[in-house]
Amino acid sequence: MEMKNGLKRTLLIVILTIGFSVIWSAQAFGQITKITVHQLLKSLDNPQVLVLDVRTSGSWQNSDKKIKGAVRKNPDTFDSWANELPKDKYLALYWNWPNEETSARLARQLYNRGHKKLYVIIGGWKEWQRAGYPTEEKSSLL
């Protein structure tokens, strides 16, 4: 009987800990939502969506393409461009690797600067290419 009470108590502590972690995470990430490349494709022509290519400099330089309509923003110079982005648009960020590390970090920083409509593309550039979705040549001005 004492063993069952101890197990119940431990289970309750684990459930409460997980619950508080989920609540804290939701507050910390605010309106940052992960979306698939398929969802982004459906919104690609929406003028309210601004796609940001935040791939690392090496990945950017080693590629001659980007997602159709995407705007290049170097993650290493975040402070120089972060406040110039429109706060009334949905910002969809992608980078080169499939774990969304950099795009999620930058999205959190943008959220802290007042941007509330933020998306991180699951799988990033690699997943977009794998799906065969629309790309375009990078501008020589970038």
Side-chain angles (χ1 to χ4, degrees):
M1 184 73 154
E2 196 172 311
M3 179 74 146
K4 285 184 181 180
N5 286 339
L7 185 58
K8 286 180 183 178
R9 200 172 307 129
T10 302
L11 184 58
L12 179 61
I13 290 170
V14 168
I15 290 170
L16 288 173
T17 302
I18 291 171
F20 285 127
S21 296
V22 168
I23 291 169
W24 181 84
S25 293
Q27 291 172 345
F29 286 92
Q31 296 299 317
I32 301 169
T33 305
K34 287 186 174 185
I35 63 170
T36 66
V37 294
H38 316 295
Q39 290 170 303
L40 178 62
L41 179 66
K42 293 176 186 175
S43 301
L44 208 55
D45 294 326
N46 183 339
Q48 291 302 310
V49 177
L50 178 60
V51 181
L52 301 178
D53 183 323
V54 294
R55 288 181 282 170
T56 61
S57 296
S59 176
W60 173 257
Q61 291 168 357
N62 291 328
S63 174
D64 58 347
K65 302 224 182 242
K66 64 183 179 84
I67 291 178
K68 181 183 172 196
V71 176
R72 168 67 176 156
K73 295 297 180 187
N74 187 334
D76 297 328
T77 60
F78 175 82
D79 288 327
S80 70
W81 53 262
N83 292 327
E84 298 171 2
L85 297 173
K87 292 185 179 173
D88 62 332
K89 295 199 181 225
Y90 292 90
L91 304 178
L93 291 77
Y94 73 93
W95 84 309
N96 41 304
W97 301 110
N99 67 3
E100 303 88 47
E101 180 181 315
T102 296
S103 50
R105 177 178 49 83
L106 295 174
R108 282 191 300 276
Q109 291 175 352
L110 287 168
Y111 182 83
N112 291 336
R113 291 182 184 223
H115 293 274
K116 304 302 180 202
K117 301 173 180 179
L118 297 161
Y119 294 103
V120 170
I121 309 336
I122 298 169
W125 175 241
K126 302 265 187 208
E127 187 60 28
W128 188 265
Q129 287 181 302
R130 189 174 336 203
Y133 288 154
T135 61
E136 63 187 12
E137 297 290 323
K138 298 183 318 189
S139 168
S140 59
L141 300 175
L142 298 175

